């Protein structure tokens, strides 16, 4: 199974590799650099999902792979939060049949300084978070989540959760793709 990941970021590559090895015996994970076409810092669920899907499709094609995996983090509006926004990691997995599966990890809130910079200056949230942490390579190591949780949850593990959630339909094909159990919610209630 050849799997192309949308980035050369080691946290994404390792996350995909570790999850895929749980389900497939022979796995080759390759990194390809692709553009999400939604900008460096997507805002809104639609843009974030679009970015993940764009990345997955491009990775599949560029890597000539069996599966393409795209991981995109983005901000979305959430009422009653300190800043009005939270971050979420979306994973899109696309196969040669064109089937797309999606998953996301837990959401969390950035400090007000980071959100203000993103909204005011249009910078990627990684920049102010690198400034706050004092780590220029934060994005490639523990990530903002690692800094904010004091390394209780690091970026690779956050990415793994999104990848695992996107794998659910693929590891349960009978329930999602084969049509064996087509019972609508309305029929059950």
């Amino acid at each position: 199974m050849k799997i192309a990941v949308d980035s050369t970021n080691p946290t994404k590559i390792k996350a995909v590799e570790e999850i895929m090895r749980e389900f497939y015996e022979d796995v080759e994970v390759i990194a390809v650099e692709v553009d999400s076409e939604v900008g460096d810092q997507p805002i809104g669920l639609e843009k974030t999902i679009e970015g993940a899907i764009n990345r997955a499709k491009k990775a599949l094609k560029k890597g000539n792979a069996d599966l393409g995996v795209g991981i995109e983090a983005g901000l979305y509006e959430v009422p009653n939060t300190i800043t009005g926004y939270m971050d979420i990691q979306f994973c899109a997995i696309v196969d040669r049949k064109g089937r797309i599966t999606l998953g996301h990890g837990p959401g969390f809130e950035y400090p007000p300084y980071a959100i203000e910079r993103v909204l005011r200056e249009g910078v990627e949230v990684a920049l102010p978070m690198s400034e706050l942490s004092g780590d220029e390579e934060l994005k490639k190591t523990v990530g903002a989540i690692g800094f904010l949780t004091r390394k209780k949850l690091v970026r690779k593990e956050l990415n793994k959760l999104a990848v695992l959630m996107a794998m659910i339909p693929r590891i349960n094909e009978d329930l999602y793709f084969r049509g064996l159990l087509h019972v609508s919610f309305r029929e059950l209630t």
Side-chain angles (χ1 to χ4, degrees):
M1 172 76 65
K2 185 175 180 183
I3 301 164
V5 182
D6 70 307
S7 173
T8 56
N9 185 312
T11 65
K12 288 185 178 185
I13 298 163
K14 275 306 255 183
V16 171
E17 187 172 52
E18 288 179 18
I19 291 298
M20 295 304 179
R21 289 193 188 285
E22 294 286 328
F23 301 108
Y24 302 114
E25 288 182 28
D26 187 19
V27 174
E28 176 190 5
V29 176
I30 60 166
V32 294
E33 200 65 49
V34 298
D35 181 23
S36 70
E37 296 182 20
V38 296
D40 291 337
Q41 184 57 68
I43 298 177
L45 289 177
E46 293 82 7
K47 282 284 182 204
T48 307
I49 294 166
E50 180 184 338
I53 291 171
N54 289 346
R55 287 177 177 278
K57 286 179 176 179
K58 289 180 177 188
L60 178 76
K61 185 175 181 179
K62 190 172 183 178
N64 192 28
D66 299 302
L67 295 175
V69 179
I71 301 171
E72 186 74 54
L75 300 174
Y76 65 105
E77 290 186 49
V78 178
N80 302 311
T81 55
I82 296 165
T83 64
Y85 292 88
M86 292 184 78
D87 176 270
I88 196 164
Q89 309 271 321
F90 265 93
C91 176
I93 302 174
V94 65
D95 58 32
R96 290 183 180 180
K97 295 177 184 175
R99 297 182 305 184
I100 298 169
T101 56
L102 295 173
H104 68 72
F108 67 95
E109 191 168 3
Y110 285 106
Y113 170 77
I115 296 300
E116 288 167 11
R117 294 274 315 273
V118 169
L119 297 177
R120 188 177 60 242
E121 300 169 31
V123 299
E124 184 179 3
V125 76
L127 177 64
M129 288 309 300
S130 289
E131 293 169 359
L132 289 172
S133 69
D135 182 354
E136 289 182 18
E137 297 293 310
L138 187 67
K139 186 176 176 177
K140 295 181 179 177
T141 58
V142 298
I145 192 67
F147 171 70
L148 293 171
T149 64
R150 300 180 184 180
K151 297 184 183 175
K152 299 294 184 223
L153 179 64
V154 294
R155 186 170 186 201
K156 180 189 81 167
E157 298 302 317
L158 190 64
N159 286 332
K160 280 176 68 173
L161 290 170
V163 174
L164 179 59
M165 297 303 104
M167 283 296 293
I168 288 174
R170 295 180 184 282
I171 61 175
N172 295 286
E173 289 211 6
D174 287 346
L175 298 176
Y176 289 85
F177 297 122
R178 295 209 177 110
L180 297 177
L181 297 174
H182 280 273
V183 177
S184 74
F185 178 72
R186 288 188 187 135
E187 292 172 333
L188 295 174
T189 56

